Amino acid sequence: MNMRLDKLLCEMGFGSRSAVKSDIKKGCVTVNGLAVNRPETKINTEKDVVSYNGSEIKYSKYEYYMLYKPAGCVSATHDDREKTVMDYFLEIRREGFFPVGRLDKDTEGLLLITNDGGLAHSLLSPTKHVNKVYYAEIEGKVTVETVKMFEQGIDIGDDKPTLPAGLEIITSACNSKVRVTITEGRYHQIKRMFEAAGCRVTYLKRLSMGAVRLDETLNPGEYRRLNEDERSVLMQL
Ligand code: URA
């Protein structure tokens, strides 16, 4: 793609159009190793190497990250009172990033963050049936009956019962550990499904969305860019 140098820097979050124009004129920017001072210089984003104060800038229209969401923050871009998931992305300069879907404040685990609205729509659309897998700890005994209820769909007080969901029991006694697979993303869905089955979720962590799994080398609050394989499976949705 060809684009103006000042637009490229602006899109990548290096400041307002006037600020980046001024930086270019001051000589902060090189293209293919040569200083340029014309903001309107045309850049081939696939071939040209643009550097800002000596650091190379790789242009991409969309960017994709996974955050290991910790408990205690809300899945929103702004909130007047609560810490948000975007508070973990302070060193990312670009604007327009948002979390793909919501995890409850007390839920941990995989949250994708992007500026690609089309991808977010595909991942969240119930018609695409993208599996979301969660690990949960439950107060109460989860039984084969509960597994059947999840398989059949549960009335959780909405217009329609939930779509069939997978429930795998890891351990079951007076408290249980389970893995749950859902394809929807209704408000408090898993908590409400267990409530309807007479149990209570005490801990919930999202492990994967589609083929993208939470990188277990991340600590809560840490994030990384999606790698090439992860991006390409998302693009096939
Ligand atoms: N289901 C819930 O109940 N909470 C979440 O955060 C995600 C799924």
Side-chain angles (χ1 to χ4, degrees), residues 15 34 48 86 113 137 145 155 162 213 216 225 232-233:
L34 299 173
D48 291 327
M86 300 316 290
I113 310 274
E137 293 178 359
E145 292 312 311
D155 179 358
T162 56
R213 298 157 74 104
E216 292 286 354
R225 253 176 216 273
S232 67
V233 289

Side-chain angles (χ1 to χ4, degrees), residues 69 75 102-108 132 134 182 184-193 201 204-206:
K69 178 194 174 294
S75 304
R102 284 169 190 272
L103 291 177
D104 297 337
K105 185 173 169 188
D106 59 352
T107 301
E108 297 185 2
K132 289 113 189 161
Y134 293 79
I182 56 175
E184 304 167 280
R186 302 193 199 177
Y187 182 65
H188 293 334
Q189 180 165 345
I190 293 180
K191 291 174 185 162
R192 288 158 71 207
M193 288 169 81
V201 174
L204 189 60
K205 174 178 173 182
R206 182 153 64 196

